[in-house]
Amino acid sequence: ARYVGELETLVQTSADQMKVNSDKADTERTESARYVGELKTLVKTSADQMKVNSDKADTDRVENARYVDELQTLVSEKSSQLQTSSDQMKENSDRADTERVESARYVDELETLVSEKSTQLKTSAHKLKESSQRADTLVARSAKRHMKRGTELKSRAEFPDGEDFRRLFVSDLANFETFACDAVNCLQDLGHPDDAAEVLVNEVLAPIFNICHKYVHDKLEAKRALFKTEWGVDVNTDAVDDTADKLFWFTSMQPWLLPHIDAMNNTTLMSLVRSMGLPVTDLHCSMVTAGTAGLIDNSEGALRIPALTHVLLRCFTISALSDPKCYLYPAPGVRVPYKKGYTEDILGLGTNKHGPIEEGEEVEVVLCGLYFDNPEETEGDTVKPIVSALVRRLK
């Protein structure tokens, strides 16, 4: 009975142990199933992430390939631009070398001419001082050659008189308004859509006017200084009487300076234009390009900046050596009251909106007028211009 009891106890213990082991196995199977599920989920997540990464890598490769192509294209374009710039710089350098050679040759010729004229002037001055008889002879001879404004009888080869000057001034600047309109269009393309007219007057026409005036003034002042230092002749061209010094001055300068100005070639004029500043040279290049492309007037008589410079040099020369003197007045950029007979509207800015310019309205001078008497030394409006100044409205 004890053995059976122990056996039953052992069986019961074994059964309990087997149940515990079975429960433990069930728990382990449950844990294993959960772990396998999590592992499958992790594997799937990793596979999805790998696919996303693969797609992203493919996209990056495509983008990188496109970027490389664009970069190669940009490098090619920049290389082409650099090559073009290099060629242009070489061309400009060659042109500059040519101009320097031309300038050096011109300076040599001018020095030779000045030396020859200086010798001639020294000889003439020496003869003038030798005796009063020779001075009287020089006066008589000079009076025949000297061109005074209003002289009726003269040959075509002599210095222009008043009517000649008026006619030359009008004819040489006949295309100025077309030039001004074309210049405004080009300046608008150069980045001045709203202030092109103002830039034309103050940054282009004013420098051209001032430098042309200075060029002629400096030439004549150098001659005055030479007359005074070499021969002791102090020239007073404002004297009413035709003194020997005055006549000698005009008969020496009239046949010298105007032909010198007329003989200026394009190289010399362009050198002068370049000294007027970047806005002037930029506008000149723009107008030449636009004219070649047919965007502005490119006819034979079309006015360009070098030609305008040449015309103003001639006008300043004639006005300075006229007897009595003529006046190019007022200068571009000066503001004056509008007055019929003294000023004339150009460009037509604001006419449709504001109507014609009213008498007394403040306007800006675009191109000077021509006077035979000094307008600055006379009070009021008693001195009328021979040719009216061209002006533009400000509003």
Side-chain angles (χ1 to χ4, degrees):
R2 185 181 56 79
Y3 173 74
V4 169
E6 293 176 354
L7 187 59
E8 287 177 350
T9 301
L10 181 60
V11 168
Q12 183 61 42
T13 301
S14 297
D16 293 339
Q17 185 64 41
M18 288 178 66
K19 186 176 184 306
V20 168
N21 291 340
S22 176
D23 293 341
K24 184 178 181 181
D26 291 339
T27 301
E28 289 178 352
R29 280 194 298 272
T30 302
E31 287 293 322
S32 296
R34 184 180 60 79
Y35 173 74
V36 168
E38 292 177 354
L39 187 61
K40 286 181 179 179
T41 301
L42 180 61
V43 169
K44 186 176 184 306
T45 302
S46 298
D48 293 340
Q49 185 63 41
M50 289 178 65
K51 185 175 185 305
V52 170
N53 293 340
S54 175
D55 293 341
K56 183 178 179 182
D58 291 340
T59 302
D60 290 343
R61 280 194 295 274
V62 172
E63 287 294 321
N64 289 338
R66 183 180 61 79
Y67 174 73
V68 169
D69 290 340
E70 292 177 353
L71 189 60
Q72 289 176 344
T73 301
L74 181 60
V75 169
S76 176
E77 291 176 353
K78 293 298 182 182
S79 176
S80 176
Q81 292 176 2
L82 287 173
Q83 183 62 40
T84 302
S85 299
S86 176
D87 295 340
Q88 185 64 39
M89 289 176 64
K90 184 178 184 304
E91 181 181 344
N92 292 341
S93 177
D94 294 341
R95 186 182 299 115
D97 291 340
T98 302
E99 290 178 355
R100 280 194 293 272
V101 172
E102 286 292 324
S103 297
R105 181 181 62 80
Y106 173 73
V107 169
D108 291 340
E109 293 177 353
L110 187 59
E111 289 177 347
T112 301
L113 180 61
V114 169
S115 177
E116 292 175 355
K117 293 297 182 182
S118 177
T119 302
Q120 294 174 6
L121 288 173
K122 286 180 180 180
T123 302
S124 298
H126 180 68
K127 291 180 178 179
L128 183 63
K129 289 182 178 182
E130 282 182 349
S131 65
S132 59
Q133 181 63 39
R134 290 190 178 184
D136 293 338
T137 302
L138 178 61
V139 170
R141 179 167 55 86
S142 297
K144 295 179 181 179
R145 296 176 54 221
H146 173 44
M147 178 53 60
K148 289 181 68 68
R149 191 163 69 240
T151 303
E152 296 181 358
L153 299 176
K154 66 183 183 68
S155 64
R156 295 177 61 86
E158 291 177 330
F159 195 80
D161 70 359
E163 180 57 27
D164 285 338
F165 189 16
R166 185 199 66 78
R167 189 166 51 250
L168 287 171
F169 187 89
V170 172
S171 63
D172 289 349
L173 295 171
N175 293 326
F176 179 81
E177 185 166 4
T178 301
F179 162 81
C181 292
D182 290 342
V184 167
N185 291 333
C186 290
L187 286 169
Q188 289 173 343
D189 294 337
L190 287 174
H192 300 282
D194 301 322
D195 61 345
E198 180 181 355
V199 171
L200 173 64
V201 173
N202 294 283
E203 297 185 25
V204 177
L205 294 177
I208 294 175
F209 182 90
N210 294 333
I211 288 180
C212 289
H213 176 264
K214 184 178 184 301
Y215 182 90
V216 174
H217 176 268
D218 290 349
K219 288 285 185 185
L220 293 176
E221 287 303 307
K223 287 295 185 182
R224 287 180 189 272
L226 180 66
F227 274 39
K228 187 171 183 178
T229 56
E230 294 292 331
W231 307 296
V233 178
D234 193 3
V235 180
N236 180 17
T237 55
D238 295 328
V240 177
D241 298 330
D242 291 338
T243 63
D245 293 344
K246 176 181 175 182
L247 295 174
F248 181 59
W249 167 262
F250 280 115
T251 55
S252 300
M253 294 298 101
Q254 284 182 350
W256 167 72
L257 186 55
L258 187 58
H260 167 74
I261 296 296
D262 288 340
M264 294 177 73
N265 57 27
N266 190 64
T267 301
T268 306
L269 290 171
M270 279 306 302
S271 177
L272 199 59
V273 168
R274 280 190 287 272
S275 70
M276 297 172 183
L278 193 59
V280 179
T281 54
D282 284 348
L283 176 59
H284 171 63
C285 294
S286 177
M287 293 188 72
V288 170
T289 301
T292 303
L295 301 177
I296 62 174
D297 180 23
N298 199 35
S299 60
E300 183 177 354
L303 200 59
R304 295 289 182 265
I305 289 178
L308 176 61
T309 300
H310 204 186
V311 170
L312 288 178
L313 286 171
R314 295 184 78 251
C315 289
F316 275 116
T317 300
I318 297 172
S319 66
L321 294 177
S322 290
D323 185 22
K325 183 179 179 181
C326 300
Y327 300 88
L328 301 179
Y329 177 88
V334 174
R335 297 188 176 186
V336 297
Y338 181 80
K339 185 176 180 62
K340 291 182 179 180
Y342 293 81
T343 54
E344 181 179 342
D345 184 20
I346 190 175
L347 300 177
L349 299 176
T351 302
N352 294 333
K353 182 178 180 181
H354 303 287
I357 300 177
E358 298 180 357
E359 286 284 312
E361 179 180 341
E362 187 179 45
V363 292
E364 186 175 56
V365 177
V366 179
L367 182 67
C368 62
L370 174 61
Y371 288 78
F372 282 173
D373 295 299
N374 190 348
E376 295 184 319
E377 293 182 355
T378 305
E379 296 182 359
D381 296 331
T382 56
V383 178
K384 291 199 65 174
I386 304 304
V387 180
S388 300
L390 300 180
V391 299
R392 73 176 187 96
R393 75 190 316 150
L394 295 172
K395 63 181 179 179

